[in-house]
Each structure stands twice: as C-alpha cells, then as structure tokens.
Amino acid sequence: MADFIKKIKMNIRLIVQFSFFALTNGYLKGFGEGKIYKGKLKMFCVPGLNCYSCPGALGSCPLGALQSVLGSREYKFAFYVLGILMLFGALGGRFICGFLCPFGLFQDLLYKIPFVKKIKNLPGDRFLKWFKYVLLAVFVILLPLFAVDITGLGKPWFCEYICPSGTVMAGIPLVLMNESLRGAVGFLYAWKVLILIVVIVLSVIFYRPFCKYLCPLGAIYSLFNNISLYRFTVDKDKCTSCGACQKKCGMDIRVWEKPNSIDCIRCGDCIKICPEEAISIVNLNNKNKK
Amino acid sequence: MKKAITMLLSCLLSVLMLASCQQTENNQQNGNSDPQQNVSADNADNGENYADTSVFGTFTAKDLDGNEVTQEIFASNKLTMVNIWATFCGPCINEMPDLGELAAEYADKGVGIVGIPLDVTDEKGNIDSYLYNEAVDIVATTKAAYTHIVPVESMFVRKLASVTAVPETVFVDSQGNQVGDCYYGARSKAQWTEIIEELLGEVQ
C-alpha cells in the first residue's frame, strides 16, 4: 500500500491531467455520433485550451469564448470571460498549464516519445517567448474586435487560423466522423493541420514548444504567476544555488532566483529534485509544506 | 493518505459528473426526432395517399417581411436553393451578397433562392425579437433580397433540428423534394453557379 501511494505521489501530475481531461471531455455520446454537445454545461469555461467543438467537450474554451464575445456585434468587452480568467489565474496562474490543460498533456506525452536528442528550448528562445503575447494581442483581441464584416461581425482569428489544440481535439475528429463535413475541407483545413504537424514534431524534440512560444491562454495565466494563490517559494537559507532546479526544469527557469517566473507551469519537478529541499509550495499557514 | 482520499474523491466526482450529463442529454433528445418518422403523421394530416418525401414537408410560416409563406413557394420554380444560415455565422453572411446577385440573375430561369435564418427562433418556432431584427438588418446590408422564411416548429421537426452546422444549403424541386447533395459550408459565386447549372440540368 505504501508503495502504491508513493507511485501515485510520483505521478500525481499525470494522474490529475488524465482525470481532468476525462472529466471535461467525457461526453462519449459526442464521439459516438460525431456531434458537438450544446447543452447547458457549455455555459462554463474550462480552464485549459480545450476546444468547444471537441465532440467530447462538456465546457467551453476560455479563449474561444473571449474571441466570440469580442467578435460579436453587440459586445466589445467580455466581462464574464475576463472574470473567469481572472478567477482561474488568481487561484493557480500557470498551474492550469501544468495540470489542467489537455494540450499541455498532449505535449507532455509527445516529449516522452524517444528521440535521438531531447532539447529544452528552440533556438531564439529568449525572443520567441514573447511571441505568445503578440498572438494574444493580435489574434485573440485586436483582430476579433476590429476585423469585422459588413454587418459588424468579427470572427475568432486564433481559433480559425492557428489553434492546434482545436485541430487535434475537434477539427480532425469531426471531419473523420462526419462524411458531410469533408466537402467543406479546403486550404484552411490543410493550413491548420500543417500547424498541428509542426507542433507535434517540435514537441517530440523540444519540451512544450506551444506552451512556451505560442499559447495566448498561457500568456494570460502567466501574468498571474507572481500573485496566484498556488505559488512557490525558495528558502534562501537552504538554497546553495547549485542550479539543479534549472537543469530539471522543462521551461528552463532559474528557479532559485525566480520561483514564480511567468514561464513556470508548476509541474513541481524542481521541488522534487532540489537536494536541499529548499523549494516549496506556499501554503496559507505560511509554513513550508511538501 | 490525505492525497489518496483526494484522488478517490476526484474519481467519484468524475463518475458522478458523467452520469448526470447523460441525464441532460436525454432531456434534449425529446425535442429531436428522425425526420423520416414524421412521414406518416403528415399523411394523417393531409389525407395524402402517397408518402411525402419533401425536405420541409407542409408548413405555414412567415418571411422576415411578415408575408405568409407555405411549401407552395417551391412550386413557382423548377429549382429552389434553400440556404440555411444564422445571424452569428460569419461565413453565411459573407456569401449572402453573392446569393442576392444569383437570385436576381436566375429569377427568369426558373431558379429561386430562399433563406432560413436558423437562430431567429427556438426549436418551437418562438421568435427572438432581437435576433429577428438582426436578421432583417443583415438581409438589408448584404442585399440578399430574396425570401427568408422564419422557421416554424414543423420545419424543425422535419429538417432543421438535424442541422448541426451553418451554412447548410439544400436544393429542392417544385415539389419540395431534394435535388443533389446537402452542401455544407459557404462557396464562391462561381462555385454556386456551377452547382446550380448542374442541378438545373437534372430537374429539366
């Protein structure tokens, strides 16, 4: 029993990722019929990059909801979505990326595939990291707001032209299961699939390239990392600046200097590897907890 | 131990969530029915002694201008293009100017175009006045100056409840029977012209 519990503890993140995915995308009837669930639960946004149009999805994607409202004729500001994002952000920041996002899980699994060389960062990492904020500003906010048709209707630019999570969770299953949709497949679909393939290939070699360089949702949550309820702290008395945490860190963060970096997805690998047990999760009692 | 209990509770929660979701889905099912099942019902209503195979059946509705529309609208043309759209649908709206032009060009060739703004009513045919006005504005802005039918419940039962994505376009002959495939997604004016010409050949 003690052994089993230890195994659960070691893989708790993977277990949570899978369980949460089963919870949020458990609409098996959708997969059976090749249809999208459109019931009342869709009013709620799930925290990760989880496409509304996935046949199994029970909730909505916060980015999709944001673009949808900003692109609508009557609303130019999305109070509800912003509120939900702030709630999620304030609670966990990029904990969501590490534990609750299905596309994060997807990349984690891809990185486990054996490959000749495993590299942490793409070349140009320092500049590429800011690209996700550009995507957020342009494709999620500005274009839906201002690139409108003759009736004043905008569209979800990020969903339509970029999001590989949507392609793998929704675009591909829906087209596979609906012969009628195949007639609508054209250049745009090919473009989206190409983006997905590139992300997949990169994810085998590099760790979570989409999360690091492209994800606008991660960009939003990253702004909360310094102030969220769930955060890390480094005990300066114990830390020897050995750098073991950075070596282990998939996001390549100098954890001992910046335990709440905007790149941190809260995977907790640094906590496990620190030889001095200097890193820990801050809890409300202000005591260091494992 | 604490973590194990937490895990077990989360799994229990997942199972309960899934179970309750099945319930919601069943409630929704009651509204939809297989279009084919209603053929005999129509027979009983109309005393027809042949199976009604038309896409929309018999219906009494109004268009966006308030004029009465029935299935007889199809009888006035050899071929009618029925374009199902929605006020929230960008691609639908983008092709409507082209459809307006096509309607004018084919008016004297026995081809008509009819629009159905799907989201203007609920599945019982109750009109949402905000969306109704949106639809009227959109038709004016896009100059899609053909008949747009405000759907009624029988049309949902017959066909519209099974429309999962817009725009969906079906062609019918003068009896309201389907000609050609269901066309999903928007197309260019040139593509629609090609399809119309092809199907016009079939109904001659």
Side-chain angles (χ1 to χ4, degrees):
Chain A
M1 183 63 182
D3 223 23
F4 179 65
I5 301 238
K6 194 173 176 207
K7 264 212 155 163
I8 291 188
K9 277 193 176 184
M10 290 231 318
N11 293 301
I12 188 78
R13 190 166 77 88
L14 203 59
I15 293 171
V16 172
Q17 284 176 300
F18 270 114
S19 308
F20 196 72
F21 181 60
L23 186 69
T24 56
N25 290 61
Y27 188 65
L28 300 171
K29 190 168 168 136
F31 281 111
E33 297 180 350
K35 291 216 166 95
I36 304 170
Y37 166 74
K38 294 190 183 180
K40 294 257 162 81
L41 284 178
K42 276 285 169 59
M43 276 199 309
F44 301 106
C45 293
V46 290
L49 198 63
N50 197 326
C51 191
Y52 168 98
S53 300
C54 174
L58 291 163
S60 295
C61 174
L63 273 198
L66 185 60
Q67 291 163 80
S68 188
V69 175
L70 292 178
S72 70
R73 292 182 196 92
E74 51 271 278
Y75 301 114
K76 292 305 170 188
F77 192 81
F79 279 105
Y80 168 63
V81 181
L82 206 66
I84 284 202
L85 287 171
M86 287 173 70
L87 176 67
F88 289 150
L91 285 176
R94 289 193 87 175
F95 170 85
I96 291 157
C97 306
F99 282 74
L100 305 177
C101 176
F103 203 62
L105 171 61
F106 187 61
Q107 289 168 86
D108 282 346
L109 295 175
L110 285 171
Y111 196 68
K112 288 191 198 297
I113 296 173
F115 191 71
V116 156
K117 191 164 172 131
K118 292 285 181 180
I119 314 175
K120 262 200 215 171
N121 299 325
L122 239 68
D125 169 81
R126 268 148 137 249
F127 304 104
L128 286 178
K129 267 185 351 187
W130 298 104
F131 189 57
K132 56 186 186 288
Y133 298 94
V134 174
L135 282 185
L136 172 63
V138 176
F139 280 83
V140 175
I141 299 176
L142 293 175
L143 284 172
L145 265 180
F146 297 118
V148 296
D149 68 18
I150 48 178
T151 69
L153 187 67
K155 59 182 185 176
W157 285 77
F158 180 75
C159 302
E160 184 168 335
Y161 291 101
I162 301 177
C163 188
S165 184
T167 311
V168 72
M169 296 176 77
I172 291 179
L174 284 174
V175 166
L176 281 179
M177 291 189 272
N178 285 290
E179 198 185 318
S180 53
L181 281 182
R182 282 175 221 163
V185 162
F187 176 74
L188 182 59
Y189 192 81
W191 166 250
K192 293 286 297 290
V193 171
L194 178 66
I195 292 184
L196 175 65
I197 292 175
V198 169
V199 170
I200 288 177
V201 169
L202 289 178
S203 298
V204 173
I205 312 170
F206 305 92
Y207 184 69
R208 288 208 182 204
F210 182 78
C211 305
K212 283 182 180 156
Y213 310 124
L214 296 173
C215 186
L217 190 55
I220 294 175
Y221 291 142
S222 74
L223 302 174
F224 291 88
N225 259 3
N226 241 328
I227 53 173
S228 61
L229 213 56
Y230 187 93
R231 33 208 272 267
F232 294 168
T233 181
V234 172
D235 188 340
K236 293 286 188 225
D237 297 325
K238 293 185 181 167
C239 172
T240 61
S241 305
C242 66
C245 49
Q246 183 182 8
K247 248 190 136 186
K248 187 76 166 101
C249 176
M251 307 303 273
D252 201 34
I253 299 167
R254 297 164 72 91
V255 185
W256 76 96
E257 285 178 358
K258 285 180 132 188
N260 296 302
S261 154
I262 55 173
D263 303 316
C264 175
I265 57 168
R266 309 317 199 175
C267 70
D269 283 357
C270 55
I271 298 180
K272 289 189 204 140
I273 201 91
C274 177
E276 311 298 332
E277 293 186 1
I279 313 172
S280 56
I281 305 165
V282 174
N283 80 1
L284 295 172
N285 293 332
N286 258 333
K287 274 196 277 210
N288 284 346
K289 160 181 126 177
K290 241 309 166 43
Chain B
M1 189 56 188
K2 232 181 175 183
K3 273 196 175 164
I5 293 180
T6 315
M7 277 309 313
L8 281 169
L9 281 176
S10 326
C11 293
L12 189 64
L13 191 63
S14 326
V15 171
L16 285 174
M17 278 281 280
L18 291 175
S20 60
C21 289
Q22 290 299 334
Q23 278 300 96
T24 317
E25 176 45 34
N26 285 337
N27 290 340
Q28 278 197 325
Q29 270 288 67
N30 295 334
N32 303 352
S33 30
D34 182 1
Q36 290 311 314
Q37 284 175 2
N38 293 291
V39 170
S40 37
D42 275 354
N43 285 349
D45 287 347
N46 304 325
E48 291 170 0
N49 50 14
Y50 57 90
D52 180 2
T53 54
S54 66
V55 177
F56 296 98
T58 51
F59 59 87
T60 309
K62 292 210 173 123
D63 67 12
L64 280 178
D65 296 323
N67 306 314
E68 188 179 275
V69 180
T70 69
Q71 70 281 357
E72 293 300 313
I73 191 177
F74 304 130
S76 49
N77 282 304
K78 282 185 277 196
L79 181 71
T80 307
M81 173 180 178
V82 182
N83 175 253
I84 303 166
W85 59 281
T87 64
F88 56 75
C89 169
C92 304
I93 293 169
N94 282 338
E95 68 170 358
M96 277 167 69
D98 287 342
L99 298 187
E101 290 177 13
L102 284 170
E105 285 167 24
Y106 278 91
D108 54 355
K109 294 182 188 158
V111 179
I113 301 187
V114 164
I116 303 181
L118 196 57
D119 62 331
V120 161
T121 69
D122 64 13
E123 292 204 352
K124 301 264 180 216
N126 300 315
I127 295 175
D128 179 319
S129 53
Y130 180 80
L131 294 173
Y132 186 100
N133 292 329
E134 285 272 280
V136 170
D137 285 345
I138 291 168
V139 167
T141 311
T142 56
K143 301 195 174 59
Y146 43 86
T147 305
H148 294 268
I149 305 175
V150 177
V152 290
E153 188 175 4
S154 67
M155 294 172 82
F156 278 96
V157 168
R158 193 82 185 187
K159 162 73 182 172
L160 298 178
S162 64
V163 172
T164 49
V166 282
E168 181 179 325
T169 304
V170 295
F171 290 83
V172 297
D173 61 17
S174 47
Q175 310 295 316
N177 296 317
Q178 185 166 345
V179 182
D181 300 324
C182 285
Y183 298 90
Y184 297 89
R187 280 166 178 72
S188 68
K189 190 174 171 189
Q191 287 171 315
W192 282 128
T193 307
E194 199 183 315
I195 294 169
I196 290 173
E197 288 297 331
E198 179 196 328
L199 296 179
L200 197 54
E202 284 183 29
V203 289
Q204 300 282 28

